Amino acid sequence: MDEKGMIKSFDMLRAVKERTLPRLDPESGGKPRVVVGLATCGVAAGAQGVYDAISTELEKQGLNDVLLVRTGCIGICQFEPVVEVSLPHQSKTTYVRMTPEKAVRMVDQHLLGGNAIAEYTIGAKQ
Amino acid sequence: MLYDENQAAGTVRSLEETDFFHKQTRIVLRNCGVIDPQSIEEYIARDGYAALYKALTDMTPDSVIETILTSGLRGRGGAGFPTGLKWKFASGNRGKVQKYVCCNADEGDPGAFMDRSVLEGDPHSVVEAMAIAAYAIGASKGYVYVRAEYPVAVKHLGIAIQQAKERGLLGRHIFSTDFSFDLEIKLGAGAFVCGEETALMTSIEGKRGEPHPRPPFPAVKGLFESPTILNNVETYANICPIILNGTEWFAAIGSEKSKGTKVFALGGKIKNTGLVEVPMGTTLREKDIGGGIPKGKKFKAAQTGGPSGGCIPASLIDTPIDYDNLISIGTMMGSGGLIVMDEDTCMVDIAKFFLEFTVDESCGKCTPCRVGTKRLLELLNKITEGRGTMEDLERIEELAAFIKENSLCGLGQTAPNPVLSTLRYFRDEYVEHIVNNRCPAGVCKALLTYKIDPAKCKGCTACARACPAGAIIGSVKNPHKIDTEKCVKCGGCMEKCRFDAISRD
């Protein structure tokens, strides 16, 4: 079955699922996944600028294997813009109240350097 | 409480580890903030369209209805009508008559945004559920009525429908069965009344969005005079998990008469604003995941149900929140907006706020709503301006009862609720406005006077410079005075004073 073909049976549905699951779970796919909340609430808080900054920095650093994904609202309005980073063999990190500057630092230190920036995470003292 | 507990030295790094997340049960919001809403593949990877497959190949239309019926799912739009029953009423004459499946995404309650969130974050869940509903009642065409003020939701839903069509998950012979279903978006122009089912369908037909009397109910004679079901976004978002996981799984969540979860939009005087999904029957106290009230203020009440609802006073904070309990304490579930109010909130002012909204949004078709709500608002204005009498309270109650009984649609029938509910639990506050010309919360401007305590005033002139009306008189280093004739009661002076010399009563 081709990538964008019609789904006419359960097997075809399952094939799409199995092909896509690694995207959602870096543990099985091996690729880092960066998710930016770009629902109305996120956009209002400036998430588009954060997304663009990450996108530019990824390109600049040549991190072509990082999957940068737009997502909806996760429900924590007062923490927007929210960015979640999942790396293989690491637990997920939720960055809150991100700015384009913080996002660039996150790409450099976390994605490139492998060290999460604790002070930007949801668990940090706000 | 979100951040207080997690300050434990930055060990918490992800949302899933926070209390805020732990206390939730995510069914409706299962994919929101997880998947890319513009990717049908990611939706499928989270078991998307598996429920549709199961329904079409493994279940008869009647068994789909039976499943939804026994799950106990009730309409999340506010009134809480059993969803399965609604489907059953529309299920006769399958294949013989044209039928429609509609989705109400005309979310209009101030402070509620869960439907927007689902459409923006997980649009396929609504598309798939509507296809299942169409199979169940024997419809071949559906409409999503979504407000034009939700551009991201409209865009994501449009992409989802397009992708589903390209993959053959909408259209003719879905999963190689005899079932065909097509879905279309209709944009609403922002009228609150179009969230009412008969007005919504009239609007889809291209006519002026006004309600009409029921019966006939939409299940008999709805869109284009055909049998129609209309469910809310959040209701649809529950359908696929019920089909996949079974009725017992769903019925085990929630309270005795209200099954499953409810998404609440927490807003107002609360630290953690946002969307939470908790089992039905959770109390407001347990919703402490909201993190409590900022600045150490006291909880006074929570408003549920928006302009159609009422308030839950502090004394009832332990009431398990489900459809029936809320009705019994004089409010309603509504779409799930939950506005928290602290001691600085004037309940008369709140009632006025919601009534102003319904007065603006009344479509004007029936007199009790068009004229009645306006007269009711005038009575409230009288009270907040210090011109009210005790007889006015009786007039309010009489008029409110009349509007509720005689209005044509849900908008008018529920419009007096915020007034009646605040009057029920905070009558003394109304009386204080009337008898002592005082607003205890210090909100109603006409009843306030600002005073400078000469003993505390150092004559720094900060207040005089801040006053936009030139109402503060006095020279440097001498106590100042407020000219109450000129004072516009903006409170600017009080904010500027560093010596706590200005008081308000």
Side-chain angles (χ1 to χ4, degrees):
Chain A
M1 188 187 74
D2 70 282
E3 289 279 306
K4 298 280 172 201
M6 301 283 259
I7 298 169
K8 284 285 167 198
S9 67
F10 189 70
D11 287 340
M12 290 174 176
L13 197 63
R14 199 166 53 192
V16 174
K17 176 180 172 175
E18 275 162 15
R19 201 169 57 229
T20 315
L21 265 179
R23 276 174 61 93
L24 288 165
D25 178 19
E27 209 58 55
S28 55
K31 281 188 179 177
R33 180 177 167 97
V34 178
V35 173
V36 183
L38 274 167
T40 298
C41 41
V43 172
Q48 188 61 52
V50 172
Y51 180 90
D52 294 343
I54 296 175
S55 175
T56 312
E57 187 66 13
L58 287 178
E59 208 170 305
K60 199 173 129 194
Q61 301 292 352
L63 292 165
N64 301 322
D65 64 331
V66 176
L67 209 59
L68 180 59
V69 176
R70 298 176 168 88
T71 189
C73 158
I74 204 151
I76 43 175
C77 301
Q78 86 282 20
F79 286 128
E80 297 284 354
V82 175
V83 177
E84 296 202 305
V85 175
S86 312
L87 296 180
H89 319 300
Q90 266 190 32
S91 58
K92 196 173 78 178
T93 309
T94 307
Y95 288 110
V96 297
R97 294 195 181 120
M98 289 300 271
T99 60
E101 295 75 34
K102 285 180 179 177
V104 169
R105 218 185 125 192
M106 182 276 293
V107 172
D108 296 348
Q109 287 195 17
H110 193 169
L111 296 177
L112 209 57
N115 296 311
I117 308 172
E119 67 208 78
Y120 297 166
T121 61
I122 195 165
K125 191 174 175 178
Q126 296 290 320
Chain B
M1 292 207 192
L2 190 49
Y3 17 84
D4 296 354
E5 279 182 23
N6 294 326
Q7 277 172 17
T11 49
V12 170
R13 293 233 173 121
S14 76
L15 177 67
E16 281 78 358
E17 297 168 77
T18 61
D19 239 20
F20 177 79
F21 200 86
H22 273 307
K23 287 191 185 169
Q24 299 192 44
T25 307
R26 292 198 157 212
I27 298 172
V28 170
L29 300 177
R30 61 193 181 276
N31 288 331
C32 286
V34 178
I35 63 166
D36 176 356
Q38 300 181 48
S39 159
I40 192 171
E41 287 86 7
E42 291 201 2
Y43 178 69
I44 292 172
R46 303 266 293 180
D47 289 326
Y49 291 101
L52 179 60
Y53 179 83
K54 184 177 173 185
L56 293 186
T57 59
D58 204 26
M59 297 168 86
T60 64
D62 281 326
S63 70
V64 171
I65 293 177
E66 196 55 35
T67 302
I68 300 304
L69 203 55
T70 46
S71 75
L73 177 66
R74 296 169 67 173
R76 298 294 193 249
F81 191 80
T83 306
L85 208 52
K86 202 183 242 187
W87 292 15
K88 200 170 184 174
F89 287 153
S91 64
N93 291 322
R94 280 190 198 100
K96 298 192 189 110
V97 291
Q98 174 73 50
K99 293 183 190 177
Y100 295 99
V101 168
C102 295
C103 174
N104 187 345
D106 191 53
E107 190 173 44
D109 283 7
F113 53 93
M114 58 286 293
D115 294 348
R116 186 190 75 200
S117 206
V118 170
L119 286 178
E120 288 180 354
D122 194 17
H124 282 286
S125 69
V126 175
V127 174
E128 184 184 359
M130 287 182 75
I132 293 170
Y135 173 70
I137 69 158
S140 59
K141 174 89 191 166
Y143 290 96
V144 183
Y145 189 85
V146 54
R147 33 190 342 216
E149 295 96 321
Y150 281 0
V152 182
V154 172
K155 182 185 159 204
H156 287 185
L157 186 64
I159 292 171
I161 292 174
Q162 186 57 37
Q163 288 174 337
K165 281 181 182 168
E166 283 165 12
R167 294 306 192 101
L169 298 167
L170 279 178
R172 298 192 61 77
H173 300 295
I174 298 169
F175 286 121
S176 305
T177 64
D178 287 337
F179 175 66
S180 301
F181 180 60
D182 196 19
L183 195 53
E184 205 177 300
I185 300 176
K186 283 279 176 181
L187 294 187
F192 182 63
V193 73
C194 287
E196 194 279 338
E197 62 177 14
T198 60
L200 185 149
M201 289 183 227
T202 315
S203 178
I204 293 179
E205 289 168 0
K207 300 178 196 143
R208 184 179 175 137
E210 283 180 344
H212 57 75
R214 295 176 302 184
F217 284 93
V220 180
K221 209 172 174 187
L223 189 60
F224 302 113
E225 313 237 308
S226 302
T228 304
I229 55 166
L230 173 70
N231 291 117
N232 157 275
V233 172
E234 192 184 333
T235 312
Y236 280 124
N238 278 293
I239 300 294
C240 301
I242 294 174
I243 297 288
L244 283 180
N245 301 327
T247 54
E248 282 172 23
W249 163 79
F250 190 77
I253 306 164
S255 67
E256 196 197 331
K257 286 184 177 164
S258 305
K259 299 301 182 191
T261 60
K262 181 77 193 82
V263 183
F264 290 95
L266 294 180
K269 306 283 180 67
I270 188 154
K271 279 183 191 155
N272 300 328
T273 55
L275 284 184
V276 294
E277 183 174 355
V278 289
M280 289 276 188
T282 305
T283 67
L284 269 185
R285 197 189 293 281
E286 289 169 87
K287 275 201 203 76
D288 197 34
I289 41 179
I293 294 172
K295 297 178 198 161
K297 299 264 181 178
K298 246 170 72 187
F299 172 83
K300 184 172 186 175
Q303 168 83 20
T304 69
S308 317
C311 59
I312 305 171
S315 57
L316 294 171
I317 194 168
D318 289 314
T319 310
I321 296 186
D322 64 15
Y323 292 103
D324 309 285
N325 282 340
L326 286 184
I327 293 288
S328 72
I329 64 169
T331 176
M332 66 185 279
M333 185 71 84
S335 54
L338 195 75
I339 301 164
V340 178
M341 296 175 276
D342 68 5
E343 51 199 307
D344 289 341
T345 313
C346 168
M347 301 314 281
V348 187
D349 186 61
I350 284 292
K352 211 177 88 176
F353 168 81
F354 283 113
L355 201 58
E356 275 169 357
F357 181 84
T358 34
V359 167
D360 278 351
E361 294 294 345
S362 170
C363 77
K365 186 171 180 178
C366 73
T367 318
C369 178
R370 183 184 69 241
V371 181
T373 54
K374 178 88 177 142
R375 290 288 100 87
L376 198 57
L377 179 63
E378 284 166 5
L379 285 168
L380 284 186
N381 276 333
K382 253 182 98 179
I383 293 174
T384 57
E385 286 163 9
R387 298 181 287 115
T389 63
M390 289 304 281
E391 290 74 51
D392 285 338
L393 290 186
E394 281 159 38
R395 270 188 216 117
I396 286 176
E397 276 165 339
E398 193 190 337
L399 181 54
F402 183 84
I403 297 170
K404 274 173 82 96
E405 250 167 65
N406 296 292
S407 290
L408 176 59
C409 81
L411 196 158
Q413 285 158 12
T414 59
N417 283 353
V419 183
L420 288 175
S421 163
T422 49
L423 205 49
R424 175 169 167 185
Y425 294 112
F426 299 95
R427 198 182 187 90
D428 50 338
E429 239 176 89
Y430 280 82
V431 173
E432 188 72 9
H433 280 75
I434 295 168
V435 176
N436 296 329
N437 275 336
R438 235 187 110 243
C439 174
V443 173
C444 298
K445 271 191 179 177
L447 304 181
L448 298 179
T449 42
Y450 284 84
K451 259 192 274 180
I452 299 177
D453 182 351
K456 284 184 182 167
C457 180
K458 307 275 186 232
C460 74
T461 76
C463 59
R465 277 179 279 131
C467 181
I472 301 183
I473 3 171
S475 53
V476 184
K477 292 192 178 166
N478 289 311
H480 284 42
K481 216 177 158 225
I482 298 175
D483 181 346
T484 46
E485 293 285 301
K486 281 189 185 169
C487 175
V488 292
K489 297 165 186 179
C490 69
C493 53
M494 208 163 142
E495 275 170 35
K496 279 281 180 291
C497 181
R498 287 180 289 124
F499 307 101
D500 209 14
I502 302 178
S503 63
R504 178 176 64 192
D505 193 40

